[in-house]
Amino acid sequence: MNEVALWELINESRYRMSLAQRRLWDLIRIDPEQWIHRSPTGNVSIWVVALIGRGVISYNDAENGFDRSSFVQYGEIVELGWGQDELEGAVQHVLNELELGYRTAPGISRPQPGEFPDGKR
């Protein structure tokens, strides 16, 4: 996704946000920046749109959505989230985390060895 299309997505999402979501978004948002995620298959460029402590809200092109990801070094995402939320959903997860004291956003799971179940018995 290019930056212009990302800004359009961000602006549309901000319009749909509740007042609480919009207030938080306005505090944590940054202008979109391209960060790196190092994976076993190679480096992936990810758009980061907000900073929260050692976490970010990022846009994942492969999943066509926003997620909560973590970082240790500025500019490099350590672990990607699941990447399938609208921006207002990702912001809501941050609000939930502030209120409840623990992460509510889904994470991605590690690959599991073995055969993939086909749903048949």
Side-chain angles (χ1 to χ4, degrees):
M1 171 171 290
N2 67 41
E3 189 173 354
V4 172
L6 181 60
W7 271 111
E8 288 174 4
L9 198 58
I10 290 168
N11 290 332
E12 290 167 7
S13 294
R14 188 181 185 283
Y15 179 77
R16 292 189 305 264
M17 289 179 187
S18 69
L19 181 59
Q21 290 170 340
R22 194 173 308 124
R23 284 178 175 169
L24 178 61
W25 169 249
D26 289 344
L27 289 173
I28 64 175
R29 67 167 287 284
I30 62 170
D31 288 343
E33 297 179 355
Q34 295 244 302
W35 286 26
I36 297 295
H37 171 63
R38 300 183 197 285
S39 73
T41 58
N43 293 348
V44 179
S45 183
I46 302 288
W47 285 106
V48 170
V49 298
L51 295 171
I52 314 102
R54 285 294 184 180
V56 299
I57 294 178
S58 59
Y59 182 81
N60 187 329
D61 275 330
E63 299 288 340
N64 294 317
F66 293 89
D67 60 40
R68 290 285 314 279
S69 303
S70 58
F71 74 98
V72 175
Q73 178 179 337
Y74 190 91
E76 185 176 331
I77 294 173
V78 177
E79 185 173 74
L80 287 174
W82 75 315
Q84 297 175 341
D85 253 335
E86 299 292 334
L87 179 57
E88 60 271 25
V91 172
Q92 183 61 49
H93 283 298
V94 177
L95 279 171
N96 295 347
E97 196 170 322
L98 289 169
E99 183 178 323
L100 301 172
Y102 57 87
R103 186 178 173 133
T104 61
I108 56 173
S109 60
R110 303 271 186 253
Q112 301 296 321
E115 293 184 30
F116 183 77
D118 63 4
K120 298 177 185 171
R121 292 196 176 239

